[in-house]
Amino acid sequence: MKKRNKKYKPREVLPLPLMFRHSTDGQIGLKLQPRMAFQRLKEGEGTEQDLDTLAFRLNWAFVAQRDFYANQAEAMAQDGLDAVHGAKARLEQLGKIGLSGVEMTAIAHGLDLADRMGDELTRKENLQACETVMAWNAKALRLQALAV
């Protein structure tokens, strides 16, 4: 038997291409976290982090419907965002989080929209919408830091 001249070098494991979907558990997890945050808010046990979770998911829904669905559901996405922004403003003013029935309905519709779009979009489109929202957040934080 011949001796090998080259040292063994294992092949690099490549990541999954972005055109494939998440696993079923990953898809359910993306839907479940905002739903759990919304449930805590409805029960009166929500925190500012729960509002941030909802804001991110609804911002994602707004970007996704704008970029991939030609603003077909703009009003629904915007109503959900307005409800979260209203709750955040009340938190800053009063120190308490509260949602009206209209706001709860708007958030629920926004989450339903996000879930439906999440099922239809590819990982690449999901990532693009996520990166857009993250860029918005970074810009808002920079502006907030300059204002202080």
Side-chain angles (χ1 to χ4, degrees):
M1 182 191 267
K2 272 186 164 181
K3 185 177 177 185
R4 286 189 179 185
N5 292 336
K6 293 182 182 179
K7 183 179 176 185
Y8 173 73
K9 191 164 71 170
R11 285 188 177 175
E12 180 182 347
V13 177
L14 299 174
L16 186 65
L18 286 175
M19 64 185 145
F20 296 110
R21 295 209 174 275
H22 296 286
S23 67
T24 306
D25 291 340
Q27 234 8 40
I28 290 172
L30 282 173
K31 295 177 184 179
L32 206 53
Q33 291 299 325
R35 295 285 179 173
M36 289 171 31
F38 184 46
Q39 186 64 34
R40 285 190 296 271
L41 286 168
K42 288 196 307 190
E43 293 171 355
E45 300 169 0
T47 62
E48 186 175 5
Q49 185 178 6
D50 292 329
L51 279 176
D52 291 339
T53 300
L54 288 176
F56 184 86
R57 185 66 170 166
L58 294 173
N59 270 324
W60 178 89
F62 182 81
V63 170
Q65 68 83 29
R66 182 195 69 190
D67 293 350
F68 306 113
Y69 292 93
N71 281 334
Q72 293 176 2
E74 182 178 10
M76 189 183 297
Q78 189 62 51
D79 290 346
L81 279 173
D82 291 343
V84 171
H85 290 293
K88 210 132 160 93
R90 277 192 298 283
L91 174 64
E92 290 174 6
Q93 289 176 349
L94 307 174
K96 294 181 181 180
I97 300 174
L99 295 169
S100 69
V102 174
E103 289 173 331
M104 284 188 209
T105 304
I107 291 171
H109 289 312
L111 289 175
D112 289 340
L113 174 70
D115 291 347
R116 285 194 310 266
M117 287 189 297
D119 289 338
E120 295 175 4
L121 296 177
T122 64
R123 286 178 60 207
K124 186 174 185 177
E125 293 165 336
N126 275 319
L127 179 63
Q128 183 180 343
C130 243
E131 287 174 342
T132 301
V133 173
M134 294 299 284
W136 286 358
N137 288 344
K139 182 178 178 183
L141 287 174
R142 280 194 304 273
L143 291 175
Q144 188 179 23
L146 290 175
V148 172

